[in-house]
Amino acid sequence: MDRGEMTVPQEEMARQAEFAAMVRALPHRPGSYHVVTYGCQMNAHDSEKIAGMLEEMGMVASEKREDADFVIFNTCCVRENAERRALGNVTWLKEVRKQKPDMVIAVCGCMIQEPGMAETILKKYKFVDLAFGTANLHKLPEMLYETLNAGKQTVNVEDRDVIAEGLPVRRLRQDAAYLTVMYGCDNFCSYCIVPYVRGRERSRDPETILREAEELAASGVKEIMLLGQNVNSYGKGLPGNPTFAGLLEKLDGIGIPRIRFMTSHPKDLSDDLIDVMAKGKHILPQFHLPVQSGNNEILKKMNRHYTREQYLDRVSRLRSAIPGIGLSTDIIISFPGETEAQFEDTMSLVREVKFDSAFTFIYSPRTGTKAAEMEGIIPDEVSTERIQRLISLQEQLQQETLKRFIGQEEEILVEGLSRRSRLAVSGKGRHAVSVTVEGTEQDIGQIMKCRITNLKNNTLAGERIPGGKA
Ligand code: SAH
Ligand code: SF4
Ligand code: F3S
């Protein structure tokens, strides 16, 4: 597919806008909506687009799902428990609908894109009115119009690999925004379902991204999070071969106070990108770099295309170019055939790097992936024991690494009131670590300067620097 075919034509977007107006005019349309979101930032941002479209159709957000006229489940299928949770919640709503027969229920997101899932939904979940895949989002007005008019199930999982520009967005936060730079993934790590459900890698046009960033800056956004399954390979297939490093440099010039991005693949982490980060004024000194395993044989079976040594080289390069950088990672344990010694290699890598945080997962077989065919399933008891060991090691190391912030100045973007005290607020510092500071509701959404004073239970606390509102 070439790029011309990939981008949804303007005429189609205009046609959907007409459907949105038609839904709005329907006397029996839902008046309120609630989106339940599972999974990663991609899904969170898709939910913001769903909410944007529904508001254009005249609906208002409902805080509780059971009160809404239209409930949408935006699902994830990266691990089995994510899928089970989503399906369990959909089933629960079936009971609610008995008291509220006009309620419309939709299921969308990655899970729907799994082979055969749409049919399963049709047969086993007859109360679901609408099911659509990740690439059909922009057709929501048309699908909803049909569902409301025909009164029968509508399923759409046909489109793949499209880019739909110009969808309305109802942002979750006013101070921070997601900005997608690329969709899909071509890496086919052997354990991962994402390339099957999110389609081939496709990058958005750089000018469109820059324009969106400028609009966000003009609306007062203080932080943008650039999104992509593998942002480092941004630009593949675009005219002029733009790179992520180049794009980041331009975005840095716009003047948005804080720029972050997610996720990076170690094999594509270029020296150019590190240089741009080191020189940038607004690019936060933090990096999420999933390692998955510390053992070369397992990395090979995972199809990750780097070795432990190469990973460590990237880490030391990042640390020398950006001293004090905040590092986080993802780790999978109990990949098929993982021996105790191979697991110990992961433990030793964790000890060597000393991440500020690590997301740890027990391998979950996903139908259709290469690893699901591999032998050597690790018994649950072994996995439970290993993950506990890994988590407690990480907690212990975190206690050490976070100490480096004590006595330092940090700028935090205040996210909300602290859960522990009503007189405190918490937010993320520039290094992606959470900090709690004295404050009130009025500070939410502001960037605050503070000095880190102590570390308790792996949480940093600070004191506001007087007049230190940035
Ligand atoms: N594109 C991103 C995110 C992928 S999903 C990346 O490559 O980092 C987020 C994390 O989920 C992955 O990094 C991996 O650690 C984990 N994950 C993916 N598939 C999994 C599986 N089948 N079982 C357990 N964890 C998995
Ligand atoms: Fe999955 Fe690997 Fe792609 Fe990440 S890079 S989404 S882990 S296939
Ligand atoms: Fe899940 Fe889809 Fe994200 S499978 S992790 S919501 S890309």
Side-chain angles (χ1 to χ4, degrees), residues 38-40 42-43 75-78 110 193-194 197-198 229:
Y38 303 92
C40 66
M42 313 280 159
N43 261 19
T75 61
C76 169
C77 57
V78 77
C110 294
I193 192 87
V194 172
V197 295
R198 285 267 170 186
Q229 290 298 350

Side-chain angles (χ1 to χ4, degrees), residues 316-426:
S316 66
R317 178 110 198 178
L318 278 168
R319 282 193 165 141
S320 60
I322 308 152
I325 188 168
L327 279 183
S328 58
T329 198
D330 291 348
I331 296 168
I332 299 178
I333 65 134
S334 290
F335 187 80
E338 185 187 71
T339 63
E340 176 60 25
Q342 288 170 331
F343 169 70
E344 273 300 332
D345 284 344
T346 299
M347 294 281 278
S348 78
L349 180 129
V350 167
R351 252 180 239 118
E352 201 169 330
V353 177
K354 297 190 178 68
F355 296 102
D356 288 328
S357 66
F359 299 90
T360 52
F361 308 105
I362 296 176
Y363 166 73
S364 169
R366 306 280 64 210
T367 309
T369 61
K370 284 250 164 64
E373 314 281 303
M374 291 180 191
E375 290 181 357
I377 296 289
I378 310 295
D380 287 351
E381 319 79 83
V382 177
S383 299
T384 312
E385 190 273 326
R386 280 184 190 165
I387 199 139
Q388 279 165 357
R389 255 197 286 161
L390 178 60
I391 292 171
S392 76
L393 171 66
Q394 173 57 28
E395 275 174 3
Q396 181 199 324
L397 293 168
Q398 211 157 305
Q399 190 74 18
E400 290 299 309
T401 55
L402 294 182
K403 273 190 195 149
R404 76 182 186 282
F405 293 110
I406 297 177
Q408 302 288 317
E409 268 185 30
E410 185 61 280
E411 262 177 25
I412 66 165
L413 178 56
V414 180
E415 275 173 48
L417 293 175
S418 158
R419 262 177 273 153
R420 295 191 189 162
S421 155
R422 290 207 295 129
L423 296 173
V425 290
S426 69

Side-chain angles (χ1 to χ4, degrees), residues 140-418:
L140 179 58
E142 182 177 1
M143 293 184 289
L144 187 58
Y145 184 79
E146 280 174 4
T147 306
L148 294 174
N149 265 348
K152 62 175 174 46
Q153 282 186 318
T154 310
V155 173
N156 198 340
V157 286
E158 287 151 27
D159 290 345
R160 300 305 288 261
D161 306 349
V162 300
I163 299 179
E165 294 292 358
L167 286 177
V169 174
R170 172 81 174 88
R171 286 207 317 269
L172 287 171
R173 284 174 62 176
Q174 291 316 302
D175 56 334
Y178 294 125
L179 205 179
T180 308
V181 301
M182 50 93 71
Y183 297 94
C185 182
D186 285 351
N187 286 318
F188 290 94
C189 302
S190 63
Y191 50 81
C192 186
I193 192 87
V194 172
Y196 302 90
V197 295
R198 285 267 170 186
R200 296 290 57 75
E201 228 170 84
R202 51 216 189 266
S203 297
R204 289 178 73 196
D205 167 60
E207 291 307 317
T208 314
I209 296 172
L210 288 168
R211 226 178 307 129
E212 193 171 321
E214 279 160 6
E215 283 165 16
L216 289 169
S219 77
V221 158
K222 301 203 172 68
E223 178 178 295
I224 55 170
M225 159 87 92
L226 308 175
L227 292 183
Q229 290 298 350
N230 181 11
V231 290
N232 301 166
S233 65
Y234 171 81
K236 225 164 72 178
L238 284 182
N241 296 318
T243 62
F244 184 61
L247 178 71
L248 198 57
E249 194 168 23
K250 286 193 189 132
L251 288 166
D252 187 52
I254 290 178
I256 295 171
R258 294 161 56 118
I259 303 178
R260 326 162 53 182
F261 52 88
M262 242 181 141
T263 298
S264 305
H265 195 301
K267 79 173 161 56
D268 299 313
L269 169 49
S270 68
D271 290 347
D272 280 354
L273 175 58
I274 300 176
D275 290 346
V276 166
M277 285 184 76
K279 275 193 254 136
K281 287 198 175 68
H282 308 289
I283 307 162
L284 296 187
Q286 50 173 268
F287 217 101
H288 182 64
L289 194 61
V291 64
Q292 315 297 2
S293 167
N295 175 271
N296 284 338
E297 256 170 77
I298 295 286
L299 285 171
K300 198 154 192 213
K301 280 168 77 179
M302 286 178 162
N303 196 30
R304 290 289 287 179
H305 295 281
Y306 56 83
T307 60
R308 173 192 178 102
E309 293 72 29
Q310 283 164 334
Y311 183 89
L312 292 172
D313 168 72
R314 295 291 81 191
V315 167
S316 66
R317 178 110 198 178
L318 278 168
R319 282 193 165 141
S320 60
I322 308 152
I325 188 168
L327 279 183
S328 58
T329 198
D330 291 348
I331 296 168
I332 299 178
I333 65 134
S334 290
F335 187 80
E338 185 187 71
T339 63
E340 176 60 25
Q342 288 170 331
F343 169 70
E344 273 300 332
D345 284 344
T346 299
M347 294 281 278
S348 78
L349 180 129
V350 167
R351 252 180 239 118
E352 201 169 330
V353 177
K354 297 190 178 68
F355 296 102
D356 288 328
S357 66
F359 299 90
T360 52
F361 308 105
I362 296 176
Y363 166 73
S364 169
R366 306 280 64 210
T367 309
T369 61
K370 284 250 164 64
E373 314 281 303
M374 291 180 191
E375 290 181 357
I377 296 289
I378 310 295
D380 287 351
E381 319 79 83
V382 177
S383 299
T384 312
E385 190 273 326
R386 280 184 190 165
I387 199 139
Q388 279 165 357
R389 255 197 286 161
L390 178 60
I391 292 171
S392 76
L393 171 66
Q394 173 57 28
E395 275 174 3
Q396 181 199 324
L397 293 168
Q398 211 157 305
Q399 190 74 18
E400 290 299 309
T401 55
L402 294 182
K403 273 190 195 149
R404 76 182 186 282
F405 293 110
I406 297 177
Q408 302 288 317
E409 268 185 30
E410 185 61 280
E411 262 177 25
I412 66 165
L413 178 56
V414 180
E415 275 173 48
L417 293 175
S418 158

